[in-house]
Amino acid sequence: MTQFTTDVEEAVRSIPAGEVRSYQAVARAIGRPGAARAVANVMARNIDPTVPCHRVIRADGKLGGYNRGGEEAKRAILLSEGYQC
DNA sequence: GCGCTGACTGTCA
DNA sequence: ATGACAGCCAGCG
């Protein structure tokens, strides 16, 4: 586990339920603007239940991806949390 | 230390 | 508006 990963997890954990943040926004929050791809990489490899990675979507409003059932599951979770996509 | 990969992003055609 | 291309960053072999 690297510091970068830890920072990403913390930033994602700070996202309130029903809200979403783009990978770029998270990257900026941890002081690495432009590292959106690296952030996505952390999400993809690190499956941590303490991190609401389903609240992290693309900057264009698309869901992006999910390691636990694909975009369908992600969309379902977001809907159940109150996020209208 | 080098090069490839990916749940991305912004720009151009 | 939709698709293709290039740029950026961290992790891994």
Side-chain angles (χ1 to χ4, degrees), chain A residues 23 56-65 71 74 83:
Chain A
Y23 295 94
V56 185
I57 65 175
R58 291 179 50 111
D60 56 349
K62 300 204 179 316
L63 294 184
E71 299 180 36
K74 186 171 182 175
Y83 175 68

Side-chain angles (χ1 to χ4, degrees), chain A residues 1-25:
Chain A
M1 198 65 70
T2 66
Q3 183 61 53
F4 178 76
T5 305
T6 306
D7 290 339
V8 172
E9 292 183 1
E10 187 177 86
V12 175
R13 239 177 269 136
S14 70
I15 305 175
E19 298 293 310
V20 294
R21 299 290 286 273
S22 66
Y23 295 94
Q24 193 174 48

Side-chain angles (χ1 to χ4, degrees), chain A residues 6 31-33 69 77:
Chain A
T6 306
R32 288 291 180 290
I77 297 172

